[in-house]
Amino acid sequence: MELETRRIRGLEMKKTVVDQFYIDEEFNVPDSKEDVRRILLGKGEVRIEDTSRAEAYVKVSGKIFYRIVYLPDHAEPLPAFLEGSLPFEEMIYLEEEGEEGQELQQIRVSRLEFTPGLIHSRKLRVMVELQVFRDLMKEEELTVGVPEDQNLCCKKKAGSVLELKVSQKDRYRIKEEMKLPKTKENIGQILYGDVDC
């Protein structure tokens, strides 16, 4: 007797793997920039560029883009900024090798702590902590019925299964112009921006 089956796929998390690592980098302020008196604000953003599986490990590489707003060290300080990127590469131990039919689906960054510190007026230190989770894609067969010519009674139960038709990225560009009030001075340089959607 052959059962009617249908293959379904889903995300399964057997065990969450959390990996924390620090990037402790020192970098010099470029000669074109003023000496740093005090750091006002710092922001970092993680971009994962590549992931690859090797037995019980997954190799994650990418960059952390940062922007720091600071007060320069002269008589009438006006805020200035520094920006750049820090490359990273981390091997994460998964504690179990992938089973048949499973593959690494995605890696999410759950937390980023970006802490810029001042060593002296021309040198800064950046510390970053990341937590990484993984999802596994699993495919299995689900019995949906038996042939009608079989003399069997079937007990059925309705269930909803998500069906993914299209998976793609949508980009929507918003272009808006905004005028400064007449009471404000002209913009010389944009130091900091933050967009969240």
Side-chain angles (χ1 to χ4, degrees):
M1 176 179 69
E2 290 188 11
L3 298 175
E4 294 177 9
T5 61
R6 185 176 174 186
R7 297 191 74 78
I8 62 167
R9 282 195 239 174
L11 288 177
E12 180 182 6
M13 294 182 67
K14 284 193 170 180
K15 186 174 182 182
T16 301
V17 176
V18 179
D19 182 76
Q20 294 181 346
F21 61 95
Y22 288 91
I23 300 172
D24 193 0
E25 289 279 338
E26 293 179 5
F27 62 94
N28 294 323
V29 178
D31 294 335
S32 59
K33 298 282 187 180
E34 300 284 340
D35 290 353
V36 179
R37 179 195 293 178
R38 185 160 62 97
I39 295 173
L40 299 176
L41 191 62
K43 177 186 175 185
E45 178 190 351
V46 179
R47 292 185 198 163
I48 295 174
E49 296 175 344
D50 186 41
T51 59
S52 58
R53 186 74 179 267
E55 296 179 1
Y57 288 86
V58 62
K59 181 173 142 187
V60 181
S61 57
K63 288 181 181 173
I64 296 162
F65 292 87
Y66 63 86
R67 194 171 182 98
I68 298 168
V69 179
Y70 69 96
L71 280 180
D73 193 13
H74 49 111
E76 293 182 4
L78 293 172
F81 75 95
L82 289 170
E83 61 183 346
S85 62
L86 299 170
F88 69 89
E89 189 175 283
E90 179 73 2
M91 294 292 286
I92 302 170
Y93 180 58
L94 301 180
E95 298 181 6
E96 57 186 27
E97 293 193 23
E99 296 176 9
E100 189 69 28
Q102 291 187 343
E103 59 182 273
L104 187 67
Q105 178 65 15
Q106 68 178 18
I107 292 178
R108 299 188 305 271
V109 178
S110 66
R111 185 173 69 176
L112 167 65
E113 287 185 11
F114 180 82
T115 312
L118 185 63
I119 299 174
H120 55 74
S121 63
R122 301 298 297 172
K123 189 170 276 195
L124 298 172
R125 170 174 283 163
V126 175
M127 183 169 290
V128 176
E129 177 188 347
L130 295 176
Q131 289 183 345
V132 179
F133 293 85
R134 70 180 177 119
D135 287 338
L136 294 173
M137 177 71 80
K138 188 173 183 182
E139 186 173 306
E140 60 183 40
E141 287 190 352
L142 186 68
T143 303
V144 293
V146 294
E148 293 182 3
D149 59 349
Q150 299 288 330
N151 192 14
L152 292 173
C153 292
C154 296
K155 184 177 180 181
K156 296 184 178 180
K157 180 181 178 183
S160 59
V161 177
L162 179 67
E163 187 173 354
L164 185 65
K165 293 288 187 185
V166 178
S167 177
Q168 64 183 19
K169 290 183 179 178
D170 289 330
R171 289 186 179 164
Y172 182 64
R173 298 180 194 270
I174 301 172
K175 184 179 178 183
E176 295 242 357
E177 291 185 3
M178 184 177 68
K179 291 185 177 180
L180 290 177
K182 292 180 180 178
T183 56
K184 301 288 183 184
E185 295 191 21
N186 294 337
I187 294 175
Q189 190 178 37
I190 295 174
L191 300 175
Y192 189 79
D194 191 11
V195 177
D196 194 9
C197 58

